[in-house]
Amino acid sequence: MKKPKRASAAKAKKGPKPSAGRSKVALKRPAKRRIKGPARRPTRPSQRAASADDGAKAAIEPAINATIRELRSKLRGALRRVAELEAAADTDFLLEIPNRRGFERELARAVAYMKRYRASGALIVLDVARLKPINDSFGHAAGDEVLKAIATTLTRQIRASDVVGRLGGDEFALLLWNLSETDAKAKAAAFEQAIDELSFVFRGQHVSAGASAGVALLGVQSDATRALEEADAAMYVRKAHRRHEPHITLVSS
């Protein structure tokens, strides 16, 4: 009698057996498929920081571009100002032609070119006669008018490739290209004559001034400093000769 009880207890533990009908129905039902979307990867902290940086850059980029444009504009203005100051440093403010610094620079460039390409030219140094008495008698405005007239006269008688400058005071210099010695001396004489023929009226008096010119030839063996010294020395020799020429007058009533 004890054995059947044990069997019934074991059956109770295992539970009721599933029926055959239920198991067949369960096997016939198709399994439902889940439609999965693209897998989303979790956002890393570094990615979140990068996106924050991109947003910050996009916010400040217009301001940076505006600052760059402003700085470039200021740089262009500064470069223009530097060019203007350099030009002013090389230009005589009264006559608007090269001053000594500007002319010596042009002369050095010309000599370097002549040495390289075996070209030639001439340097003429010209001294205005007795400019100081004109300033003393009629004022510096009168002397300035004489200097302006002389600068205009010389500029009209040279080619576009030539250079006329003011060395200072009453001294002018001319750089002339492709001239023989004969042509250079003839040109110097023409400059003297043109200045001799200038006439001015100050305080009812007719004023005229003369000029003396010295020539130095330029070529492959030339040196800019030595050429200026040679032309200057030749000018003083010519000036000494011209003091005795009667056609040069300073003031006549």
Side-chain angles (χ1 to χ4, degrees):
M1 295 300 290
K2 291 180 181 179
K3 290 181 178 179
K5 289 181 180 179
R6 289 178 182 176
S8 61
K11 290 178 181 180
K13 288 182 180 179
K14 292 181 180 179
K17 293 182 179 180
S19 62
R22 288 182 180 177
S23 62
K24 291 178 181 179
V25 173
L27 292 173
K28 290 179 181 179
R29 289 178 181 176
K32 292 183 179 180
R33 296 181 181 179
R34 292 183 179 180
I35 301 174
K36 297 181 179 181
R40 294 183 180 180
R41 295 181 180 178
T43 304
R44 296 180 182 178
S46 60
Q47 292 176 341
R48 290 196 295 268
S51 62
D53 291 342
D54 292 340
K57 289 180 180 178
I60 65 174
E61 188 173 355
I64 293 176
N65 292 335
T67 302
I68 291 174
R69 288 193 297 268
E70 182 181 359
L71 291 175
R72 285 176 177 173
S73 177
K74 289 182 179 180
L75 177 60
R76 287 192 294 268
L79 292 175
R80 284 195 300 268
R81 182 57 179 163
V82 169
E84 291 173 358
L85 291 174
E86 288 181 348
D90 291 343
T91 304
D92 186 275
F93 72 94
L94 176 64
L95 307 180
E96 297 182 352
I97 59 175
N99 56 16
R100 174 179 284 274
R101 181 174 182 267
F103 185 84
E104 288 181 349
R105 177 177 295 180
E106 292 295 329
L107 178 61
R109 290 175 179 173
V111 169
Y113 182 91
M114 291 175 186
K115 288 182 177 180
R116 183 172 181 179
Y117 297 102
R118 306 188 67 83
S120 62
L123 171 65
I124 297 177
V125 172
L126 188 144
D127 179 81
V128 179
R130 299 182 182 181
L131 182 64
K132 186 178 183 301
I134 294 177
N135 288 329
D136 294 341
S137 301
F138 305 103
H140 288 278
D144 291 347
E145 185 176 339
V146 172
L147 290 173
K148 290 178 181 178
I150 291 173
T152 300
T153 300
L154 295 176
T155 303
R156 287 175 178 172
Q157 296 194 34
I158 63 174
R159 297 161 295 184
S161 58
D162 300 333
V163 181
V164 57
R166 183 186 181 190
L167 299 182
D170 54 4
E171 275 195 357
F172 290 81
L174 298 103
L175 170 62
L176 309 176
W177 288 87
N178 301 322
L179 287 181
S180 65
E181 182 177 2
T182 302
D183 294 336
K185 290 181 178 180
K187 199 68 176 176
F191 291 147
E192 289 180 348
Q193 183 178 356
I195 295 174
D196 289 346
E197 293 174 354
L198 291 176
S199 180
F200 308 90
V201 179
F202 300 125
R203 299 176 188 172
Q205 299 188 44
H206 292 275
V207 178
S208 62
S212 302
V215 180
L217 298 179
L218 301 175
V220 294
Q221 302 298 328
S222 295
D223 176 78
T225 302
R226 188 168 64 249
L228 272 173
E229 293 174 352
E230 292 176 358
D232 196 59
M235 180 270 295
Y236 276 106
V237 172
R238 178 63 176 161
K239 188 175 182 179
H241 291 165
R242 295 215 78 190
R243 286 196 184 103
H244 306 289
E245 295 181 5
H247 66 273
I248 299 179
T249 59
L250 176 62
V251 177
S252 60
S253 57

